[in-house]
Amino acid sequence: MRRTTAVSAIAVAATLLAGCGVGSKSSSADANKTVSTTAALSGSITFQTWSLKNDKFTPYFNTLIAAFKQAHPGTDVNWIDQPGDGYPTKVASQVSTGSLPDVINLPPDIAHSVAKTGNLLDLKQNDPTLATDYVKSGLAAYNYQDVSGGSQDFGFPWYLGTDVSYWNKTMMAKDGLDATKPPKTFDDLVAQAKIMHDASGGKDYLMSRAPGLSDIANTGTKLLTADGTKFAFNTAPAEAMLDKYTAAYKAGYLPSNVLDNSYEGNSTLFSKQQVAWTTGGGNLITSLQQDNPTLAPNVLPSPALDTAPLYVQGLSVSSKSKNLPLALAFAEFVTNNANQTAFVKLAPGFLPGSAASANDPQYTKSDGTPQGDAAVIAYQDMQTAVNFTPPIWTDAMNTILNQEIAKAMTGKETSKQALDNTVNQANALLTQ
């Protein structure tokens, strides 16, 4: 997915600030500050979003800020927005120059790098209802083992995404499968992929992508060491999973070009009705009704295989803010249930990070249509979804993983060699 706006970008890992030269260390005491919430709010703060100042979202934020100021006379919020491209570099510059905004939109990976410098406020000790007001899966994304042993939280979950499985029921029925009884696990997927392959003479596919980091994590493998500082996913379960993918590839259950540059991607192949399974957000069927109306009626949703991935955007508070009471109050206001759900209505396919949204029928009760089912499934998936990508994982490391997986699946290396090589090379990159 191309990075265009923050809304479309949360499924894409941002470049780590560590690679952008963040070097401004702040005292750990800054993160541990206790914010006074008894005095009346006054003064001004700066609020920064990521590629959200446009025709679609600007009216929302103008109304939001006006409502906050009306509720708290004598306060002012200066809203600034940064373009989608180069955001990690911009934040790195703000940290190093001491100009980090009071309230700032950060995904977990960028927040991690800023938190390591001591420039983000620990929200756990400053919001007594944090654990009950926000979705636990979202909060977990802002909790880092290599920062205070994972005892602090550095972001309010704001808008979240996850994956739902989608099945082409016509293709499946033709090849002896039932889309109302789709695979629930990776092993189920391989078994049904074999049925489809054999019934179609190798012309139809259920599987159409190589494994990645999330597949390794879904084996129960911990991607990082206990202290969160190194990779350690070269485990026997991960090796077994890669062996199964390799066997499926050799048997022809995946397109032959899935490992080379001519591969068009799973979603494109699904749209062309060349494969019968893809994943996407809770609004995929609605999108298909506009973009591919002949396919949309043939699509049925189901929960993501095994554990769903979580994509997160959140709001963090600068520990260096000169007006911490106002900054904390505004961040809480933006991310309260009413304001989150209003925001998400402008961002189809995303879900609020507020726990109270579980009481909203639009997220918990289907209207009986496949699209209605998909929306509810997405919300249910989000509750247990996991942000699989470690904050120290980079694009360069992902390239190495993809190359090593390709070597294993084409028989040039064993699965163990591929995983060992990836872990060793990724850990070496951490020291550069």
Side-chain angles (χ1 to χ4, degrees):
M1 184 184 298
R2 179 176 173 81
R3 182 182 298 277
T4 52
T5 69
V7 171
S8 66
I10 67 176
V12 184
T15 305
L16 288 175
L17 270 71
C20 300
V22 170
S24 176
K25 278 287 183 180
S26 177
S27 169
S28 60
D30 289 334
N32 295 325
K33 289 175 181 174
T34 300
V35 181
S36 173
T37 57
T38 57
L41 299 177
S42 63
S44 63
I45 56 168
T46 297
F47 166 49
Q48 178 170 294
T49 53
W50 182 9
S51 196
L52 290 174
K53 185 170 281 191
N54 51 48
D55 292 343
K56 187 175 187 178
F57 292 104
T58 294
Y60 168 83
F61 284 110
N62 286 340
T63 300
L64 180 80
I65 292 169
F68 182 81
K69 291 168 64 176
Q70 182 177 16
H72 303 285
T75 65
D76 191 30
V77 178
N78 175 32
W79 174 35
I80 60 174
D81 187 77
Q82 298 296 336
D85 292 337
Y87 192 62
T89 303
K90 178 62 178 179
V91 174
S93 175
Q94 290 172 326
V95 171
S96 62
T97 59
S99 58
L100 194 69
D102 302 275
V103 178
I104 182 169
N105 175 192
L106 297 175
D109 52 353
I110 303 181
H112 168 259
S113 293
V114 181
K116 290 191 73 174
T117 69
N119 277 275
L120 293 185
L121 183 72
D122 173 26
L123 303 176
K124 182 180 291 186
Q125 72 175 16
N126 284 294
D127 187 332
T129 60
L130 185 72
T132 55
D133 287 349
Y134 297 90
V135 173
K136 288 182 173 56
S137 58
L139 283 174
Y142 290 94
N143 184 286
Y144 312 113
Q145 288 301 310
D146 60 342
V147 183
S148 300
S151 64
Q152 299 174 313
D153 290 318
F154 294 101
F156 291 113
W158 187 15
Y159 59 99
L160 286 60
T162 189
D163 281 348
V164 172
S165 285
Y166 292 96
W167 311 92
N168 185 317
K169 63 181 180 181
T170 302
M171 285 184 67
M172 293 179 75
K174 178 170 68 75
D175 295 325
L177 298 174
D178 185 352
T180 66
K181 300 176 182 177
K184 296 180 180 180
T185 66
F186 169 65
D187 287 340
D188 292 344
L189 178 68
V190 175
Q192 292 200 26
K194 180 184 186 310
I195 295 172
M196 175 167 277
H197 170 272
D198 294 349
S200 67
K203 295 180 180 179
D204 296 337
Y205 300 97
L206 197 62
M207 302 171 65
S208 63
R209 65 170 180 80
L213 209 60
S214 63
D215 298 277
I216 295 173
N218 258 323
T219 68
T221 293
K222 299 291 185 183
L223 300 179
L224 299 173
T225 54
D227 61 3
T229 61
K230 291 184 178 180
F231 298 103
F233 52 79
N234 48 338
T235 67
E239 181 183 341
M241 178 276 298
L242 186 49
D243 282 342
K244 291 175 183 177
Y245 254 107
T246 299
Y249 178 70
K250 289 181 178 179
Y253 304 163
L254 289 81
S256 59
N257 69 341
V258 74
L259 299 174
D260 63 43
N261 291 333
S262 65
Y263 173 59
E264 295 180 277
N266 170 260
S267 61
T268 297
L269 295 179
F270 183 82
S271 183
K272 291 182 175 182
Q273 302 194 58
Q274 295 176 8
V275 303
W277 169 61
T278 192
T279 59
N283 70 324
L284 178 65
I285 295 176
T286 297
S287 297
L288 288 175
Q289 289 169 345
Q290 299 174 354
D291 302 334
N292 199 337
T294 60
L295 172 60
N298 295 328
V299 176
L300 289 180
S302 75
L305 300 185
D306 299 304
T307 300
L310 184 70
Y311 314 118
V312 188
Q313 284 286 349
L315 289 186
S316 298
V317 176
S318 169
S319 64
K320 292 292 192 66
S321 171
K322 295 180 180 179
N323 196 337
L324 277 170
L326 182 59
L328 181 62
F330 182 72
E332 291 170 332
F333 177 76
V334 176
T335 59
N336 69 30
N337 182 60
N339 289 325
Q340 286 217 38
T341 53
F343 177 82
V344 166
K345 287 179 181 178
L346 300 174
F350 293 93
L351 299 161
S354 54
S357 59
N359 300 318
D360 191 328
Q362 70 173 314
Y363 303 115
T364 56
K365 186 176 181 180
S366 173
D367 60 6
T369 65
Q371 174 54 58
D373 292 343
V376 172
I377 289 169
Y379 191 82
Q380 293 170 341
D381 274 357
M382 182 187 70
Q383 306 307 310
T384 56
V386 175
N387 180 25
F388 289 121
T389 306
I392 57 175
W393 186 254
T394 66
D395 287 342
M397 295 171 186
N398 206 54
T399 297
I400 293 168
L401 174 63
N402 292 337
Q403 291 171 343
E404 291 296 325
I405 283 176
K407 290 177 184 177
M409 291 177 63
T410 54
K412 297 177 182 177
E413 293 178 349
T414 66
S415 295
K416 176 175 173 50
Q417 288 172 330
L419 292 169
D420 285 346
N421 288 343
T422 302
V423 167
N424 290 337
Q425 292 180 61
N427 283 333
L429 288 177
L430 292 175
T431 64
Q432 295 180 4

